[in-house]
Amino acid sequence: MEKGSSARKADHPINKIFLDRWSPRAMSGDPITDSELFSLFEAARWAPSNNNEQPWRFIYAKQGTPEWNTFFSILVEFNQLWTKNSSVLICLIAKKTFEKDSTPNRNHMSDSGAAWENLALQAASMGLVAHGMAGFDVEKARKELHVPADYEIVHMIALGKHGPIDAIPERMQKSEHPNSRKPITELIFEAKFH
């Protein structure tokens, strides 16, 4: 396993947890305990949210359960090639409306993204893999996981313990390392967008 912070360099001082978090695919297939799993969900629970709405919901299945096969079948073939060694598959969904009056919550996706980031950072701090995925059948996920219409399907997540690089197909191995980021000068604008 390649440590994120040993391979990445920040241009400005930040906590090393941000450099340690990356999205490997190589996992061992070893189970994650309920204690570890619920620590990840606990970290997500403390994410900031508009009006403390907490619109995120995590639907999950553990490897070795009948439900696992349902989650696995929702993934595109590319993601199935490497998630077969993950311990838990998760579908992150976000409630689009406020509970109090059913009006639209325009922050449902950003708030749910904050919860996902908390989970990912907690996983990195525990030496676990948390890899978000967009490659899945959204409508199949909605149907198979019984997701109501007032919830947006955000993405899926594979959780596991780090494994050897040869646990993933050879074509994926060349990208199995922490990547870099654009410089902040490309991402920030003072006063107006330009």
Side-chain angles (χ1 to χ4, degrees):
M1 169 183 85
E2 186 172 356
K3 287 283 188 189
S5 62
S6 66
R8 293 170 151 178
K9 302 293 178 226
D11 293 337
H12 302 275
I14 59 173
N15 189 300
K16 78 178 202 71
I17 194 170
F18 299 106
L19 301 174
D20 286 344
R21 192 225 55 83
W22 64 292
S23 300
R25 290 186 176 93
M27 292 183 253
S28 68
D30 295 332
I32 290 177
T33 66
D34 283 348
S35 176
E36 290 169 318
L37 180 60
F38 280 83
S39 286
L40 302 179
F41 291 141
E42 182 68 17
R45 183 169 82 101
W46 292 99
S49 70
N50 179 20
N51 208 28
N52 200 27
E53 186 70 17
Q54 302 165 47
W56 54 84
R57 303 293 183 270
F58 295 96
I59 308 168
Y60 71 95
K62 297 178 189 178
Q63 175 79 268
T65 65
E67 295 79 16
W68 165 271
N69 296 326
T70 300
F71 280 69
F72 190 75
S73 74
I74 292 167
L75 300 172
V76 298
E77 183 181 354
F78 177 86
N79 285 332
Q80 288 178 341
L81 291 172
W82 60 272
T83 58
K84 66 181 188 226
N85 291 326
S86 61
S87 303
V88 178
L89 290 174
I90 298 172
C91 184
L92 171 59
I93 63 174
K95 190 165 190 328
K96 297 186 276 188
T97 56
F98 288 106
E99 289 184 7
K100 64 181 180 201
D101 58 12
S102 297
T103 58
N105 176 0
R106 64 184 300 271
N107 296 96
H108 70 284
M109 292 291 277
S110 60
D111 291 351
S112 297
W116 150 239
E117 178 70 4
N118 276 18
L119 185 150
L121 290 173
Q122 181 66 28
S125 77
M126 295 168 62
L128 299 172
V129 173
H131 190 119
M133 300 171 282
F136 65 97
D137 185 328
V138 174
E139 289 314 309
K140 186 173 183 180
R142 183 171 301 282
K143 179 181 176 208
E144 296 290 332
L145 305 180
H146 306 271
V147 178
D150 61 338
Y151 282 83
E152 185 95 26
I153 298 176
V154 182
H155 67 215
M156 292 193 66
I157 304 162
L159 299 177
K161 295 192 176 178
H162 288 273
I165 196 166
D166 61 3
I168 57 175
E170 190 174 336
R171 66 183 171 139
M172 297 178 190
Q173 293 177 14
K174 64 179 179 267
S175 64
E176 188 70 358
H177 56 81
N179 51 24
S180 61
R181 292 292 186 264
K182 295 175 183 177
I184 61 171
T185 54
E186 292 182 26
L187 305 172
I188 64 172
F189 307 92
E190 186 172 0
K192 61 183 177 183
F193 185 85
H194 50 86

